Amino acid sequence: MASSHQPPSRPSGSRRAAPRSGLSRLLLGLISLGERTTQPRRNPRRDPHQPRRERILMPEKPSQRIQPPPLSTQAPYDRVVPLDGIHSAAMPPISNPRVSHQGQALPRRVQRIRSRPSGRGDRQSGKGNIALAPRSRKPHQTANATARRSFSLAAFTQGMRLVILGVGVWAIVGTVLSISNPSSQSGQISQAAADNLQTATDVQLVGATSQSEYLSRLELGREMDGLGIKVAALTRDLPDLTPGVFVVDLDSGDYFSLNGDQTFAAASMIKVPILVAFFQEVDAGKIRLDEMLTLQEGDLASGSGDMQFAGVGTQYSALETAINMIVISDNTATNMLIRRLGGIRVLNQRFQEWGLQQTVLHNLLPDLEGTNTLSPKELSNLIARVSEGELVSMKSRDRLLNIMEQTVNNSLLPAGLGDGASIAHKTGDIGSLAGDAGLVDMPNGRRYAISVMVKRPHNDARAYELVYQISAAAYEYLNQTISSPVNSSIHTSPANLPPSPDPALSPSTNPPAPNPTNSNEVTR
């Protein structure tokens, strides 16, 4: 009888060991690798002293979810924990972490998580917390961030307040100072004005002013009505002659004007303001009297004067050139000085700075067409200001008047003066005009400035006689009013005037003939 071999019995729950092939080993390795990857990893960068954030993993099957105890259960509760998927409920402490409060076995995954310590104290005591809650933000970190933001905002606000406060205090202090001490500001302005005035006085220059301001410096007095009557009688029968006259008494300020504001051709009388500008440059140190000026081709001019016959390249001193311009009315010397002073445009600007509006230089000499212009009033006032020490220094004033006293042509204004009188003057003579302007010193000590210009038909000799007669009438009038108070005028008719001691002063006497060698018209 064949005996049957019975395999030995295996205890319940044990598995049979089967030979493992290469494929089975590979599968088991993949399974074990998958289990290891599902295990939570420890973060090496985490602070070991900080509590660990724990997650509650719920059972995979709904039947295995932890159910809360019945409401009738009167068990002691120590903590209330909200769980995912479970309403907020009180849970009693469980002594065995592997068994629920209902006696049911928990899944292994939940058991591991519930038995894991949640804090530093639990690790030391070896006890784990059953109920787990998510870790919140650290209170000290939130407080620090809020404090930093609050500090930045407060610092910015305080800074803006300080800026606004500083601006307000500065404005208040400035207002209080200006109200409490107004004299300091006016004193500074007055001092600045005084400094500017002193500077202008040192260089003897007058800034740009209007014509009214320029004339107000002379402090004009009353009009000489008596002289007006005499001049009107002289011009009554000469309708084709247009005289322009301006006379001013420098002692009293009394004046007489006949077409004094009208513009006339300047002729050689334009050389007077040029001479003033020359001595202004001498005072400023820009021109030396012994400076040598070279005659150039563009300086040569016909008409009066001998320098036109000198060769180009001939040199003259600056003083000699100025003397020839006035004494013999040399046109070439005038052009040399115009060039040396900067040209026509610069001279016109200087004339405007003096307040001269009608005194304009348009062309070089000789200006036979009469394009250069001036007026009797402006020329008389210019001479009067130079006499009073304005525009140039006193030393230059003396030189200027000395040069004008040497004028060779004495057939116009000087012919109407009495014995003992002296005059510094400059004549002008072109085909359409004859004139003379100067400063007269009388024997009785009175001084006056006079300018007489006469528009005429071409080369009409009656213009010379009219200039001479007006000069004599003015001299006689001022000589008779010497005993009257200052700033007063005596209305005297020609019939009441005493006879002149010198027949040459009578208006009916024919004046001496003009000197041909000194006339611009004859020698041009």
Side-chain angles (χ1 to χ4, degrees), residues 157-171:
T157 304
Q158 292 295 334
M160 292 301 298
R161 288 177 179 175
L162 290 177
V163 171
I164 297 173
L165 180 61
V167 173
V169 170
W170 181 262

PDB file of all heavy atoms in Angstrom, residues 157-171:
ATOM      1  N   THR A 157       6.272 110.546   7.900  1.00  0.00           N
ATOM      2  CA  THR A 157       5.324 111.580   8.331  1.00  0.00           C
ATOM      3  C   THR A 157       6.012 112.654   9.169  1.00  0.00           C
ATOM      4  O   THR A 157       5.794 113.862   8.977  1.00  0.00           O
ATOM      5  CB  THR A 157       4.193 110.929   9.135  1.00  0.00           C
ATOM      6  OG1 THR A 157       3.585 109.906   8.339  1.00  0.00           O
ATOM      7  CG2 THR A 157       3.141 111.958   9.516  1.00  0.00           C
ATOM      8  N   GLN A 158       6.883 112.236  10.083  1.00  0.00           N
ATOM      9  CA  GLN A 158       7.583 113.207  10.923  1.00  0.00           C
ATOM     10  C   GLN A 158       8.523 114.085  10.093  1.00  0.00           C
ATOM     11  O   GLN A 158       8.674 115.287  10.343  1.00  0.00           O
ATOM     12  CB  GLN A 158       8.368 112.472  12.022  1.00  0.00           C
ATOM     13  CG  GLN A 158       7.488 111.786  13.049  1.00  0.00           C
ATOM     14  CD  GLN A 158       6.660 112.778  13.859  1.00  0.00           C
ATOM     15  OE1 GLN A 158       7.032 113.920  14.020  1.00  0.00           O
ATOM     16  NE2 GLN A 158       5.502 112.319  14.350  1.00  0.00           N
ATOM     17  N   GLY A 159       9.186 113.476   9.093  1.00  0.00           N
ATOM     18  CA  GLY A 159      10.068 114.271   8.232  1.00  0.00           C
ATOM     19  C   GLY A 159       9.309 115.339   7.467  1.00  0.00           C
ATOM     20  O   GLY A 159       9.752 116.486   7.369  1.00  0.00           O
ATOM     21  N   MET A 160       8.169 114.987   6.902  1.00  0.00           N
ATOM     22  CA  MET A 160       7.369 115.975   6.185  1.00  0.00           C
ATOM     23  C   MET A 160       6.883 117.071   7.115  1.00  0.00           C
ATOM     24  O   MET A 160       6.847 118.256   6.739  1.00  0.00           O
ATOM     25  CB  MET A 160       6.177 115.288   5.515  1.00  0.00           C
ATOM     26  CG  MET A 160       6.567 114.360   4.380  1.00  0.00           C
ATOM     27  SD  MET A 160       7.462 115.209   3.071  1.00  0.00           S
ATOM     28  CE  MET A 160       6.222 116.388   2.551  1.00  0.00           C
ATOM     29  N   ARG A 161       6.518 116.726   8.305  1.00  0.00           N
ATOM     30  CA  ARG A 161       6.087 117.754   9.258  1.00  0.00           C
ATOM     31  C   ARG A 161       7.207 118.724   9.584  1.00  0.00           C
ATOM     32  O   ARG A 161       7.006 119.942   9.677  1.00  0.00           O
ATOM     33  CB  ARG A 161       5.584 117.078  10.535  1.00  0.00           C
ATOM     34  CG  ARG A 161       4.246 116.365  10.373  1.00  0.00           C
ATOM     35  CD  ARG A 161       3.851 115.672  11.660  1.00  0.00           C
ATOM     36  NE  ARG A 161       2.559 114.994  11.541  1.00  0.00           N
ATOM     37  CZ  ARG A 161       2.017 114.238  12.481  1.00  0.00           C
ATOM     38  NH1 ARG A 161       2.679 114.052  13.619  1.00  0.00           N
ATOM     39  NH2 ARG A 161       0.835 113.659  12.295  1.00  0.00           N
ATOM     40  N   LEU A 162       8.433 118.203   9.740  1.00  0.00           N
ATOM     41  CA  LEU A 162       9.571 119.082  10.040  1.00  0.00           C
ATOM     42  C   LEU A 162       9.871 120.021   8.878  1.00  0.00           C
ATOM     43  O   LEU A 162      10.189 121.203   9.075  1.00  0.00           O
ATOM     44  CB  LEU A 162      10.801 118.225  10.365  1.00  0.00           C
ATOM     45  CG  LEU A 162      10.762 117.455  11.686  1.00  0.00           C
ATOM     46  CD1 LEU A 162      12.006 116.601  11.832  1.00  0.00           C
ATOM     47  CD2 LEU A 162      10.635 118.422  12.871  1.00  0.00           C
ATOM     48  N   VAL A 163       9.769 119.503   7.645  1.00  0.00           N
ATOM     49  CA  VAL A 163      10.015 120.371   6.472  1.00  0.00           C
ATOM     50  C   VAL A 163       8.991 121.489   6.402  1.00  0.00           C
ATOM     51  O   VAL A 163       9.319 122.669   6.201  1.00  0.00           O
ATOM     52  CB  VAL A 163      10.000 119.519   5.185  1.00  0.00           C
ATOM     53  CG1 VAL A 163      10.026 120.416   3.961  1.00  0.00           C
ATOM     54  CG2 VAL A 163      11.185 118.573   5.170  1.00  0.00           C
ATOM     55  N   ILE A 164       7.723 121.156   6.553  1.00  0.00           N
ATOM     56  CA  ILE A 164       6.665 122.169   6.506  1.00  0.00           C
ATOM     57  C   ILE A 164       6.837 123.178   7.632  1.00  0.00           C
ATOM     58  O   ILE A 164       6.688 124.400   7.450  1.00  0.00           O
ATOM     59  CB  ILE A 164       5.280 121.488   6.568  1.00  0.00           C
ATOM     60  CG1 ILE A 164       5.078 120.597   5.328  1.00  0.00           C
ATOM     61  CG2 ILE A 164       4.177 122.523   6.683  1.00  0.00           C
ATOM     62  CD1 ILE A 164       3.817 119.767   5.386  1.00  0.00           C
ATOM     63  N   LEU A 165       7.195 122.680   8.805  1.00  0.00           N
ATOM     64  CA  LEU A 165       7.400 123.587   9.938  1.00  0.00           C
ATOM     65  C   LEU A 165       8.566 124.532   9.689  1.00  0.00           C
ATOM     66  O   LEU A 165       8.496 125.732   9.997  1.00  0.00           O
ATOM     67  CB  LEU A 165       7.651 122.755  11.204  1.00  0.00           C
ATOM     68  CG  LEU A 165       7.896 123.553  12.505  1.00  0.00           C
ATOM     69  CD1 LEU A 165       6.685 124.413  12.827  1.00  0.00           C
ATOM     70  CD2 LEU A 165       8.218 122.603  13.649  1.00  0.00           C
ATOM     71  N   GLY A 166       9.670 124.019   9.093  1.00  0.00           N
ATOM     72  CA  GLY A 166      10.815 124.880   8.821  1.00  0.00           C
ATOM     73  C   GLY A 166      10.496 125.973   7.819  1.00  0.00           C
ATOM     74  O   GLY A 166      10.880 127.136   7.992  1.00  0.00           O
ATOM     75  N   VAL A 167       9.759 125.637   6.757  1.00  0.00           N
ATOM     76  CA  VAL A 167       9.376 126.646   5.763  1.00  0.00           C
ATOM     77  C   VAL A 167       8.488 127.711   6.387  1.00  0.00           C
ATOM     78  O   VAL A 167       8.646 128.916   6.161  1.00  0.00           O
ATOM     79  CB  VAL A 167       8.676 125.966   4.566  1.00  0.00           C
ATOM     80  CG1 VAL A 167       8.123 127.013   3.612  1.00  0.00           C
ATOM     81  CG2 VAL A 167       9.654 125.059   3.833  1.00  0.00           C
ATOM     82  N   GLY A 168       7.555 127.282   7.192  1.00  0.00           N
ATOM     83  CA  GLY A 168       6.670 128.255   7.830  1.00  0.00           C
ATOM     84  C   GLY A 168       7.403 129.176   8.783  1.00  0.00           C
ATOM     85  O   GLY A 168       7.181 130.396   8.793  1.00  0.00           O
ATOM     86  N   VAL A 169       8.328 128.623   9.565  1.00  0.00           N
ATOM     87  CA  VAL A 169       9.087 129.468  10.503  1.00  0.00           C
ATOM     88  C   VAL A 169       9.953 130.457   9.747  1.00  0.00           C
ATOM     89  O   VAL A 169      10.066 131.632  10.115  1.00  0.00           O
ATOM     90  CB  VAL A 169       9.940 128.562  11.430  1.00  0.00           C
ATOM     91  CG1 VAL A 169      10.912 129.398  12.246  1.00  0.00           C
ATOM     92  CG2 VAL A 169       9.033 127.755  12.347  1.00  0.00           C
ATOM     93  N   TRP A 170      10.581 130.009   8.644  1.00  0.00           N
ATOM     94  CA  TRP A 170      11.427 130.922   7.855  1.00  0.00           C
ATOM     95  C   TRP A 170      10.608 132.076   7.281  1.00  0.00           C
ATOM     96  O   TRP A 170      11.037 133.224   7.291  1.00  0.00           O
ATOM     97  CB  TRP A 170      12.104 130.129   6.745  1.00  0.00           C
ATOM     98  CG  TRP A 170      13.014 130.952   5.900  1.00  0.00           C
ATOM     99  CD1 TRP A 170      12.743 131.517   4.706  1.00  0.00           C
ATOM    100  CD2 TRP A 170      14.362 131.328   6.224  1.00  0.00           C
ATOM    101  NE1 TRP A 170      13.822 132.212   4.246  1.00  0.00           N
ATOM    102  CE2 TRP A 170      14.833 132.120   5.153  1.00  0.00           C
ATOM    103  CE3 TRP A 170      15.201 131.085   7.292  1.00  0.00           C
ATOM    104  CZ2 TRP A 170      16.119 132.645   5.138  1.00  0.00           C
ATOM    105  CZ3 TRP A 170      16.484 131.610   7.268  1.00  0.00           C
ATOM    106  CH2 TRP A 170      16.928 132.382   6.210  1.00  0.00           C
ATOM    107  N   ALA A 171       9.433 131.770   6.741  1.00  0.00           N
ATOM    108  CA  ALA A 171       8.590 132.822   6.180  1.00  0.00           C
ATOM    109  C   ALA A 171       8.151 133.810   7.264  1.00  0.00           C
ATOM    110  O   ALA A 171       8.141 135.031   7.050  1.00  0.00           O
ATOM    111  CB  ALA A 171       7.370 132.201   5.496  1.00  0.00           C
TER     112      ALA A 171
END
